[in-house]
Amino acid sequence: SRKGLTPRDLDVVATLLRTLPPLADVRALALSGNGFADAGASALADAGAHGALAALERLFLDNVGLADGGLAELAAALAGGAMPRIHFVDLTRNGIGDGGVAALADAIRGGALPQLQTLYLYNNRVGSAGLAALVDALCASGCRLEKLYVDNNQVGEAGVAALVRAVEGGHLRSLRSLHLSGNPAPADLVQAAVQAV
């Protein structure tokens, strides 16, 4: 991580992941702090779609310049069955908004990331629509998410209310840790959501 990898470098990495048998057992991929943005994410998605990273459990894509388009490409690969063993995803400090989270939610609703336990989305541009879509997908899929970090985004009252309804309705029973600070939602509602977990 933090090696200054470019989109072109990620193309090389993706090729190596697809073609070198010793890399088939990679369990953690830490690409944090590299500015490869959506183009690099596209290369990674392509590698996953072609069978690479089947054993991957932890994916670190924080602070890589990822936006909605790149996350949508990754989500499409996940929806196609790529990287089925992932249980930890770090997407913090990027430019992800509601569109990217909605694409990820659609993939989860369709059965992607069945082992997901931890999702870091803090310091992005996620709003109420994105969080509500994610919550709906988590409820519909039966995903056993334990930790959700959505601090410092743009989530308002409607997004937090959707989360509270899901938790109080017993649909997110596995959720143990929830972080929502730094959003424009009313503080009392945020507190209620955190306490409900």
Side-chain angles (χ1 to χ4, degrees), residues 142-147 171-177 197:
C143 182
R144 308 222 9 104
L145 191 72
E146 296 175 3
K147 298 176 183 176
H171 301 291
L172 295 174
R173 287 191 175 108
S174 59
L175 193 61
R176 299 288 176 258
S177 182
V197 172

Side-chain angles (χ1 to χ4, degrees), residues 69-90:
L71 184 53
E73 287 195 55
L74 270 175
L78 294 168
M83 302 175 251
R85 294 185 182 174
I86 290 181
H87 62 80
F88 177 97
V89 178
D90 185 351

Side-chain angles (χ1 to χ4, degrees), residues 156 160 164 173 179 185:
V160 177
V164 169
R173 287 191 175 108
H179 296 257

Side-chain angles (χ1 to χ4, degrees), residues 26-29 44-45 48 52-61 71 74-75 77-79 81-91 104 108 111-120 143-145:
V26 169
R27 299 260 191 287
L29 188 58
L44 186 61
L53 302 171
L56 191 68
E57 297 173 349
R58 293 177 292 141
L59 180 60
F60 298 84
L61 293 176
L71 184 53
L74 270 175
L78 294 168
M83 302 175 251
R85 294 185 182 174
I86 290 181
H87 62 80
F88 177 97
V89 178
D90 185 351
L91 299 171
L104 182 62
I108 290 171
L113 298 173
Q115 298 183 31
L116 185 64
Q117 296 173 352
T118 301
L119 179 58
Y120 289 174
C143 182
R144 308 222 9 104
L145 191 72

Side-chain angles (χ1 to χ4, degrees), residues 12-26 47 50-54:
V12 173
V13 169
T15 299
L16 292 173
L17 288 168
R18 282 195 308 266
T19 59
L20 289 179
L23 296 179
D25 292 329
V26 169
H50 287 90
L53 302 171

